[in-house]
């Protein structure tokens, strides 16, 4: 996983990078934690504080699981 500061994939603009290794369930959970750690979270302060994540976490988890399920396992 790699998080960049902008939209270009430039090594000089990397904010965070992490290899996911181990059993598949651990890779999925680690990738999910990586996205959650690197996404922006806004806040609304109408009555108390309400965090508004950049991405819906349910959708993020589903996207990661789908990517793992449909990746090419014939590659070594």
């Amino acid at each position: 996983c790699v998080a960049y500061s902008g939209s270009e994939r430039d090594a000089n603009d990397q904010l965070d990078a992490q290899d996911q290794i181990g059993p598949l369930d651990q890779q999925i959970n680690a990738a999910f934690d990586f996205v959650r750690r690197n996404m922006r979270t806004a806040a609304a302060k109408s009555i108390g504080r309400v965090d508004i994540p950049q991405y819906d976490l349910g959708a993020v988890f589903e996207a990661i699981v789908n990517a793992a399920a449909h990746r090419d396992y014939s590659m070594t």
Side-chain angles (χ1 to χ4, degrees):
C1 298
V2 179
Y4 296 97
S5 62
S7 60
E8 298 297 319
R9 292 171 43 175
D10 184 352
N12 294 321
D13 293 329
Q14 284 186 4
L15 298 175
D16 192 5
Q18 183 180 29
D19 289 333
Q20 308 306 339
I21 58 172
L24 186 57
D25 63 325
Q26 290 179 6
Q27 291 180 40
I28 290 170
N29 289 327
F32 178 76
D33 291 340
F34 182 89
V35 172
R36 186 173 46 193
R37 182 176 67 245
N38 284 289
M39 71 179 185
R40 295 182 180 111
T41 302
K45 297 180 182 179
S46 55
I47 299 176
R49 178 187 169 103
V50 177
D51 288 338
I52 305 166
Q54 183 178 11
Y55 309 112
D56 178 85
L57 293 176
V60 169
F61 188 78
E62 181 70 20
I64 292 170
V65 169
N66 283 340
H70 296 288
R71 70 182 176 186
D72 186 357
Y73 286 97
S74 65
M75 294 175 23
T76 58

